[in-house]
Each structure stands twice: as C-alpha cells, then as structure tokens.
C-alpha cells in the first residue's frame, strides 16, 4: 500500500476524471451478487458421489439440493455472534521435487475473546492484547517492540496500528485471497464476503460434494475468478471455516525452487478452529522477545543518526586500498550499500550512476557503492558486474555488511548521505521509482550548505500519518486486497443528468456561440468599473479566442507550440509594473507576453512519459519582490518547481513527490503563528490526500490535514477583501464519491456538501469562486461542479443556495461582468454560453 493512492491518482487524473483506489463499480457488483445469492429459490444441486484422492478425507454421498447463500450467511453470523474464537491456523504449501514430497507450514493463528483480548500470529509477526496491554512485534524491526494501552474494544484499526506490522502481516503467499486472516475478517470486518468473493460472478459459484476433515463433514463452496478456483470448507454443524483451498497461481514468484508445477498445493488450514469454546477464554500469551526497547510505533532506527556524526567506518577498494570516514572529511559522501544478487541492488547502482553524472568531477561529492557480500563474491566478479552495468562509481567492500549494521540496517540495501562534517543528513532503505531524483535534490541542497535532515524527519512522520489515513480508507472500503486486484475495477463516467431549472433564482441565457472550436478553459480578466471584462477561451487545445460582451469573436491567436502538444488550461497574471503574462500548460508550461508572443517553455527537455506531465501551474509573486514566478507541479516524482519567467529553475522540492493541485493564501495556517505580517503561502494537495504548506522558496512548513478525509481539489479566495481567504476543498471517498468541504485555517471541517458520484468526463477545475449577484455586492459564492454536470451554488458559510443540472458536458466555467451585469460563462464541447441569474 505504499504508493497505491498517488499512483492511481496520477493515472485517473490523466484520463480526465477521478477514480479512487477502492472502486465502487465492483462493490456494486458484489452487492448485486449477494442479493442474487440471498434469493432462496436459487439452489444448487449437489453432484453424485465421487472418489476423493485424499485418504484423510471422506466423501459423503448426497442427492439433495441446498441453497448456497444460507451456508455463507450462516458462517458470517456464527462468527459475528461468537464471544470467543481460537485456531492453530497455518498456511500449507505442498510440492514434489525430484520424486520427493516436501511441505512448508507458515503460522497463521487467530485467537479472540471479545471485547479486547486477541492473539494474532502470521509467520514471526505477533500481536497480543490481554485487556490491559497491547503488544506488536516483527523481527524485521529488531530490538524494538510496540507497546500501547489496550483499547476498550479491539477493531481492525488497532491491529493495523503500524505500517511495519501491516507490511509483515500481509507479506504471505495467500494475500491475493485476503490481506488478513480469514477468521479475523469474519470476526471483525463488516462485510467479509466482499473480500472473499471480490470480482466473482454468480455463475462462478457452485456447491461441491460434501467431504470430511477428520470426522467433521463440511460444505464445500467453489468460486472461480479468471479460471482460478478457490474452495471454502465450512463445518456443517457450527459453520466454522476449517479450510480454504487456494489456486497455486497465487504462489507466483514464491513457488518453491525446483518444484513440480503439477504437484503444488496451497491451502489455509484452520486447525482446531472453535467458536465459543469451553471455558469461555482463549490464550493471548505469545513468546514475546526479551530485552527489547518499547516504542509506540515503529520508526526506522536510522532516524537516531540524523543530524549526528556518522559511525566511523573503513572500506576496502577492489584494489585493496583503505577508505575511512576520516579520509572523507570535507567531502559530501554518498554511501550506497548494495548486493550484486537480485534486481534491486543493480537498479540502485544504475540510479547512483545517473546521479553521479549530474555532478561535475570537481564537486565536493564522493560516491561510493559499498558491497556487503561475503568473501565468496570475489573482487573480480564485482568488477565484472560493475562493467556490465556501465557504472563508473567506485566500488568498495564492507564484507558481510559489518559497517552497514552499525547504521542499524538489517537488509542489504541502504543509502546514507553525509555532509562535509560527517553528519548524517539523510537515509533511504527502499528502492523506489524516484530514488535518483530524491538523491539529486538532497545533494544539491547539501552543496548549498543547507541541512536536509529536518525535512527527512518530517517526511517520516508524514509517512506514518499518511499510513494511518490510508488504513482508515481501506477499512472503510471493506475489501482487504492489494491494488493488483482493486485496480481491475473500473468506475464508469458519471451519466450527464438531464437539464433542470434552479428554484432560488431564474437563469436566462444571454447568448450562445458555436463558432469556437472545441472550447475548453475560459479565462476572464477584469476591467475597470463600467467596462466589460475581457474573455478568452482556449480553443481546440492550441488557439486562444477572444470574445466580446455579446459573444462575438474579436480575434484568434494560434499558439506557437511544438507538434503534438494539446493544452488543457489557461491562466494569467499581471506584475506591479503593469506587464501581463499568459500561461498555458499540458505536456509543458508555455509562457506568453500580453501580445501572445511565446517567451519560454518549461521544462526544456522533451516530455515523453505520461507520468512526467504537468499537474498544475500557478503564476504568482509569492516572495512579493515585484516579479512573477511560475510554480509548476508534476505527476511524477518531480514535486514542485519554482521557475523564473526566463525559464531558470530557482528552487525545487521533491519531498512531496506528487502535487495534484496548488493554491495561494495569506491565511495564518500553523498553530501559534503570528497573524501579522501575513506572508503568502503555497498550498499543495500531495499524494497523501492532505495539504502541504510551503513558503515562497518551497520549504515545507507543515501540513493542513483534514481529519479522515482524502482531498483531491481545493481553492482559496478572498470574497470580502479583508485578507481572509475562504478555503474550500473536495474530498474523495470510496467508489468515486465526493464531498465539498469548507475548512478553517487549521484544517477543521466547517461544512460539508455531498456531490454526485462518478468519474468526471473531462479534466476541469471543480471549484469556482463566483459573484452571481450585482457586482457591487461584495458577498460572493462558491460554484461547485458535479461529475454529472450539475452546478451547486453555495454561500461562503456553506449553505446551499440552489443546484441545477446543466444537461451537457462542461469543459470550462468562469464568472464575468459583461455590460455591467454579472454573468456565468460555460463552455461545452460544442459552444460557449453566457447566462444571467435573476434573483
């Protein structure tokens, strides 16, 4: 789940709409499936008796008909009503190799006594709660154990309290069936069957012949997803789930080496499973490790080194020379610990090579690729690997990873950045797509004499915060599967609702023009009082058309763009000296002067990957020096760039890897911040779905989280003219569901308005500050666009004034004053219209 949310946001935004990770389409399919299954007239005839291959299981012959739905419902109700449950569950993998039988058994144990005693064991990861204390442990974080106060009632959120615990609970061969043990979902999840039957059609569910496990006869329900069969063994007497046979395709890369593919067998065995057992209690005692440090959550131990001198080290070159920490003083040092076996180490070495080439040889930076393998890997073989990868970075040896362990890193992959004083400024222990970009960014800041470790600490804290929020959304969705399964679902575009009329006012169409070809964004530039505003329309993705107050074309300007460019948005700003600039963006950002002469484009290099497209652009004077700058965010890991109007990169921040949308405000946003003076602040919705607060030089000052909400869009506007912006966002919920929210300066939710569900058919802003009454009336409104092209007019206080359906796909919205009348301008794929609201 590390990158599920932002990856999907990128893909769906670029398709012109918004779909949330846990899709609604298949959830509706599952609910429909359950309704069909609940119809008692739908029955399955049990096939005739046949011989089983397993001597331990007895086939029970029967010719009766039994409904499938009551069996499943009986199982769900049995677990839901149980006060206690225990099992000695295991994951069983059987195979043959060279004529011999082999097996692997992985602990997969669940015990529960309501309300707050539990024991979970998945492999070596342990969770235990005895009603007083809550413990969690994974050997992947040695030397530490989580201890918290036991909650009054155990919920799934409590068990997934920590990202490392979650990752190790779910890192098993059976996670394509369920990310959590099936008994745990039956005991604590609201709708466990939505996970077990995800993506399965009714015709792919059948009741097989009854068989026994030992002396226990079991119903067997077969389900098929893409020809992969799963079989549930449910006790006929008490509806306890005793076994789940899983398709061997789930093993994939985890299949035992040399195993005969035809011999593989994978199952979940819930041995001694028992509901409401005698004595009424279950064991919650685990052999927890001794002499470990108690923590409230797992944070990387490498954090202890940030801002402090690194441990002393000595490495040996492939030529036998020594390199020590003392000999590197005065240099910024990049230590990449790696191993030649496996793809990740090679990928990291390739990334390190690319970054090294961006820094001149005379720069005060030393790159060392520190190999951590034993002496069985020879210097000659390492040199051969380096040559094969085309790497020029110096390879040194840390035999058996002895020095790496001084940095508290248990794996073979890690990166540490040391400044010229030998202070640890940053670390990274995972390979990720933006590894190289992040390393380059941090090195540049270090060469400027800036400390980067405070930013790394904030990132780690934010990662934990993001994790908690994503788990909340995951549990809210109720389908406990990974993105591999969830992204197969498709949320359809919202159906455009038929046109309707408002009630609080009357809308009158002033004019409509069909002479603009495929109109999109509408840009309005206010004129002096008494004069009509200037109206520009982005036409066909590459032309600017100016309209007069009556909708007639005043002129067209073909933009000087590279072949294949299609602009999606248009904006403008004026400097204090009166110079006006225009900006369009799509693949790149293009800057024009007031006569539409191209001044520059950014980035300079050709954009080829769809993930490198521009996400949002602002043209602002955030540092208030009298000069405008461009603030550009990207869908990839480039974060936000501050760019001069000459195309020079002034600042860059990739700490927030993806920033979907930006806004500017003067509101004081940080607790305890003085109200005067009020500097301009940049707000950015990042991959976590919350708002980052940055200064004019892109330094992250803090975050503005909205509790239990994932944000997708936002806008800030000062309606009254008192320097206080009104802040509005749109939150995204499960199944492409939206809520418009008014928030205060600290992210507190002031009001909420549900908007229609579904994917927006076009990439367009969703929040518009408008003035649809007389222009001299200072009170403004928010106009919110629904995915079905409905329009929702909301007061600054969040009170819904009115809503109506436009009836056509909307590609652009703006409010303007034309001939001294406030009007609403709307573009569709076919025309541009001006409407007046009569109150």
């Amino acid at each position: 789940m590390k990158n599920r949310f932002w990856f999907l946001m990128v893909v769906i935004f670029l398709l012109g709409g918004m779909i949330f990770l846990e899709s609604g389409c298949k959830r509706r399919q599952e609910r429909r499936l359950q309704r069909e299954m609940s119809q008692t007239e739908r029955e399955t005839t049990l096939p005739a008796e046949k011989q089983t291959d397993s001597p331990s299981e007895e086939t029970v012959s029967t010719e009766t008909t039994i409904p499938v739905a009551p069996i499943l419902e009986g199982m769900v109700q049995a677990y839901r009503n149980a006060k206690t449950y225990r099992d000695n569950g295991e994951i069983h993998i059987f195979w043959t190799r060279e004529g011999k039988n082999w097996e692997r058994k992985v602990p997969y144990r669940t015990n529960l006594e309501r309300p707050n005693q539990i024991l979970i064991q998945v492999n070596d990861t342990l969770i235990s709660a005895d009603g007083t204390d809550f413990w969690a442990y994974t050997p992947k974080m040695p030397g530490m154990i989580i201890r918290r106060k036991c909650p009054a009632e155990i919920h799934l959120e409590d068990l997934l309290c920590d990202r490392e615990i979650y990752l190790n609970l779910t890192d098993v061969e059976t996670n394509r069936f369920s990310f959590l043990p099936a008994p745990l979902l039956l005991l604590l999840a609201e709708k466990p069957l939505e996970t077990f039957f995800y993506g399965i059609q009714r015709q792919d569910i059948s009741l097989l012949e009854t068989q026994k496990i030992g002396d226990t006869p079991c119903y067997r329900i077969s389900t098929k997803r893409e020809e992969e069969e799963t079989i549930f063994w449910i006790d006929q007497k008490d509806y306890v789930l005793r076994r789940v046979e899983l398709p061997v395709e789930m093993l994939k890369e985890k299949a035992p080496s040399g195993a005969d593919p035809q011999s593989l067998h994978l199952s979940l065995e819930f041995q001694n499973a028992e509901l409401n057992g005698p004595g009424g209690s279950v064991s919650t005692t685990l052999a927890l490790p001794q002499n470990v440090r108690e923590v409230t959550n797992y944070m990387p131990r490498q954090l202890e080194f940030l801002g402090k001198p690194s441990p002393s080290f000595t490495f040996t070159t492939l030529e036998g020379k020594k390199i020590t920490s003392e000999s590197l003083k005065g240099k910024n040092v990049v230590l990449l610990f790696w191993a030649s076996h496996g793809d990740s180490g090679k990928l990291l070495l390739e990334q390190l090579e690319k970054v090294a080439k961006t820094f001149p040889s005379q720069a005060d930076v030393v790159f060392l690729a520190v190999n951590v393998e034993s002496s069985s890997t020879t210097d000659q073989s390492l040199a051969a690997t380096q040559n094969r990868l085309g790497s020029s970075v110096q390879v040194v040896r840390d035999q058996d990873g002895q020095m790496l362990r001084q940095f508290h890193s248990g794996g073979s992959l890690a990166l540490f950045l040391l400044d010229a004083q030998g202070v640890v400024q940053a670390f990274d222990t995972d390979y990720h797509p933006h590894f190289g970009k992040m390393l380059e960014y941090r090195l540049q800041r270090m060469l400027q004499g800036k400390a980067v470790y405070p930013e790394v600490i904030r990132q780690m804290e934010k990662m934990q915060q993001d994790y908690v929020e994503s788990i909340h959304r995951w549990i809210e969705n109720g389908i406990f599967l990974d993105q591999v399964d969830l992204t197969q679902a498709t949320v359809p575009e919202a159906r455009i609702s038929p046109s309707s009329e408002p009630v609080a006012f009357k809308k009158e169409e002033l004019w409509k023009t069909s002479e603009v070809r495929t109109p999109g964004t509408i840009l309005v530039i206010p004129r002096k009082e008494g004069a009509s505003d200037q109206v520009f329309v982005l036409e066909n993705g590459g032309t600017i058309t100016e309209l007069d107050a009556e909708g007639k074309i005043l002129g067209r300007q073909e933009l000087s763009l590279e072949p294949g460019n299609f602009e999606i948005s248009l904006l403008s700003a004026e400097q204090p000296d009166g110079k006006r600039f225009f900006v369009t963006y799509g693949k790149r950002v293009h800057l024009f002067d007031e006569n539409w002469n191209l001044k520059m484009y950014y980035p300079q290099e050709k954009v080829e990957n769809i993930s490198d497209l521009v996400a949002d652009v602002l043209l602002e004077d955030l540092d208030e020096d009298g000069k405008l700058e461009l603030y550009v965010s990207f869908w990839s890991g480039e974060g936000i760039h501050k760019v001069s109007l000459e195309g020079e990169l002034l600042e860059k921040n990739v700490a927030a890897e993806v920033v979907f949308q930006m806004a500017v405000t003067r509101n004081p946003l940080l607790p305890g911040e003085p109200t005067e003076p009020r500097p301009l602040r940049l707000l950015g919705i990042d991959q976590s779905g919350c708002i980052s607060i940055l200064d004019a030089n892109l330094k992250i000052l803090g975050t503005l989280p909205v509790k239990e909400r994932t944000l997708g869009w936002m806008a800030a506007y000062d309606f009254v003219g008192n320097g206080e912006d009104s802040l509005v966002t749109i939150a995204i919920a499960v199944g492409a569901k939206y809520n418009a929210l008014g928030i205060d300066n600290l992210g507190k939710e002031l009001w909420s308005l549900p908007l229609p569900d579904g994917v927006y058919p076009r990439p367009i802003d969703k929040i518009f500050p408008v003035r649809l009454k007389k222009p001299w009336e200072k009170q403004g409104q928010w106009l919110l666009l629904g995915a079905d092209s409905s329009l929702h007019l909301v007061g600054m206080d969040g009170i819904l004034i009115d809503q109506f359906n436009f009836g056509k796909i909307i590609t652009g919205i703006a409010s303007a004053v034309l001939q001294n009348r406030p009007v609403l301008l709307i573009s569709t794929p076919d025309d541009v219209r001006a409407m007046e609201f009569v109150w």
Side-chain angles (χ1 to χ4, degrees):
M1 286 178 61
K2 292 180 183 178
N3 296 313
R4 288 194 307 169
F5 177 69
W6 81 256
F7 172 78
L8 285 173
M9 289 279 283
V10 170
V11 174
I12 299 307
F13 267 89
L14 292 173
L15 290 174
M18 184 65 206
I19 174 177
F20 190 66
L21 170 66
E22 298 87 358
S23 83
C25 176
K26 288 209 171 181
R27 292 192 69 196
R28 289 192 290 271
Q29 181 186 78
E30 299 306 320
R31 288 192 288 268
R32 184 171 66 251
L33 169 64
Q34 290 176 353
R35 287 196 300 270
E36 291 174 352
M37 290 174 60
S38 66
Q39 297 172 2
T40 56
E41 69 270 18
R42 188 178 295 275
E43 297 176 336
T44 302
T45 302
L46 291 174
E49 177 183 6
K50 70 175 183 180
Q51 185 65 36
T52 178
D53 294 330
S54 174
S56 62
E57 297 164 1
E58 178 184 344
T59 301
V60 180
S61 176
T62 180
E63 292 292 342
T64 187
T65 56
I66 301 175
V68 173
I71 299 173
L72 296 172
E73 184 60 29
M75 176 179 67
V76 171
Q77 290 301 323
Y79 281 79
R80 183 170 293 159
N81 296 332
K83 294 182 178 179
T84 67
Y85 171 81
R86 78 176 81 198
D87 68 36
N88 291 312
E90 293 178 328
I91 300 172
H92 282 196
I93 305 172
F94 296 89
W95 72 96
T96 62
R97 184 173 59 209
E98 298 176 350
K100 295 183 179 180
N101 294 328
W102 300 81
E103 68 176 7
R104 182 164 75 237
K105 297 182 179 181
V106 178
Y108 209 56
R109 184 180 174 193
T110 302
N111 281 10
L112 173 72
E113 181 175 355
R114 302 185 197 276
N116 63 351
Q117 297 185 51
I118 197 165
L119 180 150
I120 302 293
Q121 181 179 12
V122 176
N123 206 345
D124 294 324
T125 297
L126 310 172
I127 295 177
S128 176
D130 59 8
T132 302
D133 292 314
F134 177 94
W135 305 86
Y137 173 77
T138 175
K140 296 295 180 64
M141 299 296 286
M144 293 184 286
I145 188 169
I146 290 176
R147 181 180 182 180
R148 298 180 175 183
K149 182 179 178 181
C150 188
E153 183 176 353
I154 292 288
H155 299 283
L156 287 175
E157 290 95 329
D158 304 309
L159 306 181
L160 303 174
C161 61
D162 184 88
R163 180 172 173 268
E164 289 295 331
I165 293 295
Y166 156 78
L167 291 173
N168 290 284
L169 277 181
T170 59
D171 186 23
V172 290
E173 292 86 346
T174 59
N175 61 17
R176 281 180 56 204
F177 165 69
S178 171
F179 253 45
L180 297 174
L184 190 62
L185 292 188
L186 287 164
L187 289 162
L188 297 181
E190 183 180 354
K191 297 179 180 178
L193 297 184
E194 290 201 6
T195 295
F196 302 156
F197 291 86
Y198 181 80
I200 297 173
Q201 304 293 328
R202 175 59 186 88
Q203 63 267 22
D204 295 325
I205 301 174
S206 60
L207 192 61
L208 306 179
E209 69 271 25
T210 297
Q211 290 188 3
K212 289 183 178 180
I213 298 178
D215 296 327
T216 304
C218 294
Y219 298 116
R220 296 193 309 134
I221 296 177
S222 167
T223 68
K224 288 185 178 180
R225 182 191 293 118
E226 298 179 354
E227 302 306 316
E228 296 181 3
E229 185 178 31
T230 297
I231 301 175
F232 296 81
W233 293 61
I234 302 172
D235 194 312
Q236 285 189 348
K237 180 180 179 181
D238 55 17
Y239 292 99
V240 170
L241 181 63
R242 301 207 170 272
R243 172 181 296 163
V244 181
E245 292 182 47
L246 296 169
V248 295
E249 290 84 358
M250 287 189 178
L251 291 174
K252 288 189 174 181
E253 295 85 4
K254 294 186 178 182
S257 176
D260 176 6
Q262 302 302 318
S263 69
L264 281 168
H265 178 80
L266 174 66
S267 65
L268 295 169
E269 302 289 338
F270 303 112
Q271 297 168 342
N272 304 318
E274 182 180 54
L275 292 168
N276 298 316
S281 64
V282 299
S283 172
T284 59
T285 302
L286 281 174
L288 297 171
Q290 302 297 313
N291 301 319
V292 290
R293 182 160 54 100
E294 294 180 2
V295 296
T296 55
N297 59 270
Y298 284 134
M299 295 293 279
R301 290 189 67 189
Q302 294 86 356
L303 281 172
E304 299 173 7
F305 294 108
L306 288 180
K308 300 175 182 177
S310 77
S312 298
F313 54 79
T314 300
F315 302 130
T316 306
T317 70
L318 299 185
E319 295 76 30
K321 297 180 180 180
K322 301 294 184 182
I323 295 180
T324 67
S325 50
E326 285 299 318
S327 67
L328 294 173
K329 286 291 177 66
K331 299 281 188 179
N332 293 281
V333 182
V334 181
L335 300 178
L336 173 64
F337 293 89
W338 68 291
S340 60
H341 52 77
D343 293 333
S344 295
K346 296 172 184 176
L347 288 170
L348 286 173
L349 199 59
E350 291 173 355
Q351 292 280 332
L352 189 67
E353 174 70 16
K354 291 179 181 178
V355 175
K357 287 181 178 179
T358 65
F359 290 87
S361 57
Q362 67 269 22
D364 293 332
V365 182
V366 174
F367 294 87
L368 295 178
V370 186
N371 186 270
V372 297
E373 296 170 66
S374 67
S375 57
S376 60
T377 303
T378 65
D379 292 345
Q380 291 78 8
S381 66
L382 288 179
T385 299
Q386 183 182 22
N387 291 334
R388 187 173 65 254
L389 296 175
S391 174
S392 60
V393 175
Q394 185 171 16
V395 175
V396 295
R397 310 272 324 233
D398 172 20
Q399 200 158 298
D400 296 320
Q402 296 180 36
M403 300 299 173
L404 178 58
R405 284 192 286 275
Q406 293 189 45
F407 286 95
H408 296 329
S409 188
S412 60
L413 296 178
L415 178 135
F416 292 88
L417 291 184
L418 316 181
D419 66 16
Q421 288 73 45
V423 173
V424 179
Q425 290 289 336
F427 69 90
D428 208 334
T429 56
D430 286 315
Y431 172 76
H432 50 83
H434 310 308
F435 176 89
K437 292 177 180 177
M438 184 65 75
L439 173 57
E440 181 181 347
Y441 163 73
R442 287 172 174 168
L443 273 175
Q444 288 172 342
R445 292 183 66 81
M446 287 168 58
L447 287 172
Q448 295 167 2
K450 299 177 180 177
V452 299
Y453 73 86
E455 190 173 87
V456 177
I457 294 173
R458 284 196 298 269
Q459 281 183 287
M460 291 294 168
E461 293 171 344
K462 189 171 184 299
M463 184 184 295
Q464 179 65 17
Q465 176 188 333
D466 294 349
Y467 167 76
V468 172
E469 293 174 356
S470 67
I471 286 296
H472 175 80
R473 294 192 297 268
W474 202 39
I475 292 172
E476 179 188 42
N477 179 45
I479 301 176
F480 296 90
L481 297 171
D482 191 26
Q483 70 178 50
V484 173
D485 295 290
L486 293 174
T487 54
Q488 293 176 359
T490 302
V491 177
E493 289 185 0
R495 181 175 298 176
I496 303 302
S497 299
S499 176
S500 66
E501 295 296 322
V503 176
F505 52 85
K506 182 179 180 181
K507 61 180 176 72
E508 294 182 354
E509 188 173 290
L510 300 179
W511 50 258
K512 178 175 74 173
T513 177
S514 301
E515 296 183 25
V516 183
R517 300 163 299 179
T518 320
T521 303
I522 302 173
L523 172 66
V524 173
I525 298 179
R527 292 272 183 87
K528 292 181 179 180
E529 188 173 343
S532 293
D533 293 340
Q534 218 172 351
V535 178
F536 296 95
V537 182
L538 179 59
E539 178 181 1
N540 206 29
T543 302
I544 302 299
T545 301
E546 185 176 1
L547 302 178
D548 68 10
E550 296 178 348
K552 296 177 182 178
I553 294 179
L554 290 175
R556 275 193 173 97
Q557 177 67 50
E558 297 286 340
L559 300 179
S560 300
L561 304 175
E562 310 90 281
N565 271 267
F566 188 91
E567 304 297 76
I568 62 173
S569 195
L570 169 66
L571 59 138
S572 180
E574 187 177 71
Q575 288 191 152
D577 61 8
K579 288 183 180 180
R580 179 165 290 279
F581 295 91
F582 294 90
V583 170
T584 64
Y585 66 90
K587 286 185 177 180
R588 289 171 165 165
V589 181
H590 294 86
L591 178 74
F592 303 88
D593 65 15
E594 57 188 4
N595 297 315
W596 294 101
N597 297 311
L598 180 63
K599 302 293 292 181
M600 68 90 172
Y601 56 84
Y602 187 84
Q604 299 286 322
E605 61 271 16
K606 187 176 181 180
V607 178
E608 295 180 347
N609 298 324
I610 192 168
S611 63
D612 291 331
L613 299 183
V614 171
D616 197 13
V617 177
L618 294 178
L619 184 57
E620 297 282 350
D621 179 17
L622 277 178
D623 49 18
E624 302 185 90
D625 62 356
K627 295 181 180 179
L628 293 169
E629 286 93 21
L630 285 165
Y631 291 84
V632 185
S633 67
F634 297 85
W635 291 113
S636 66
E638 285 289 341
I640 305 177
H641 293 190
K642 178 182 179 181
V643 183
S644 74
L645 298 194
E646 290 73 38
E648 179 188 359
L649 176 61
L650 302 175
E651 296 285 349
K652 178 167 73 169
N653 189 324
V654 299
E657 296 175 7
V658 182
V659 175
F660 306 122
Q661 192 170 37
M662 298 180 290
V664 173
T665 183
R666 281 194 189 276
N667 289 7
L669 301 166
L670 303 171
E673 185 178 25
T675 56
E676 296 296 340
R678 293 187 179 183
L680 287 170
R681 295 285 166 74
L682 179 66
L683 308 180
I685 297 179
D686 61 23
Q687 67 269 18
S688 68
C690 73
I691 299 172
S692 293
I693 307 167
L694 302 93
D695 67 12
N697 292 316
L698 301 184
K699 179 183 178 182
I700 296 180
L701 305 174
T703 59
L704 192 66
V706 180
K707 188 177 181 181
E708 298 183 355
R709 298 285 195 179
T710 302
L711 308 181
W713 299 274
M714 67 175 167
Y717 193 78
D718 181 5
F719 285 105
V720 181
N722 62 356
E724 286 286 343
D725 287 326
S726 175
L727 300 176
V728 171
T729 70
I730 293 181
I732 313 152
V734 173
K737 299 179 184 296
Y738 310 103
N739 275 278
L741 310 172
I743 60 174
D744 69 10
N745 294 354
L746 300 180
K748 180 182 177 182
E749 189 174 314
L750 302 176
W751 54 265
S752 172
L753 176 70
L755 297 176
D757 304 344
V759 174
Y760 283 83
R762 293 291 189 276
I764 182 177
D765 286 337
K766 283 74 176 170
I767 310 170
F768 303 89
V770 297
R771 296 187 190 277
L772 296 179
K773 294 187 177 183
K774 295 177 181 179
W776 51 85
E777 293 181 352
K778 288 193 174 184
Q779 187 72 21
Q781 305 89 34
W782 289 107
L783 187 66
L784 309 170
L785 175 62
D788 61 349
S789 287
S790 57
L791 296 171
H792 308 256
L793 192 63
V794 180
M796 290 172 54
D797 53 6
I799 295 176
L800 179 64
I801 299 171
D802 210 331
Q803 62 188 29
F804 62 95
N805 300 325
F806 186 68
K808 294 189 68 175
I809 290 175
I810 295 176
T811 57
I813 295 178
S815 67
V817 177
L818 302 180
Q819 297 178 339
N820 209 30
R821 291 187 293 186
V823 300
L824 183 68
L825 301 170
I826 295 181
S827 58
T828 77
D830 305 312
D831 51 46
V832 180
R833 309 181 190 196
M835 295 185 299
E836 182 180 15
F837 291 2
V838 180
W839 300 82

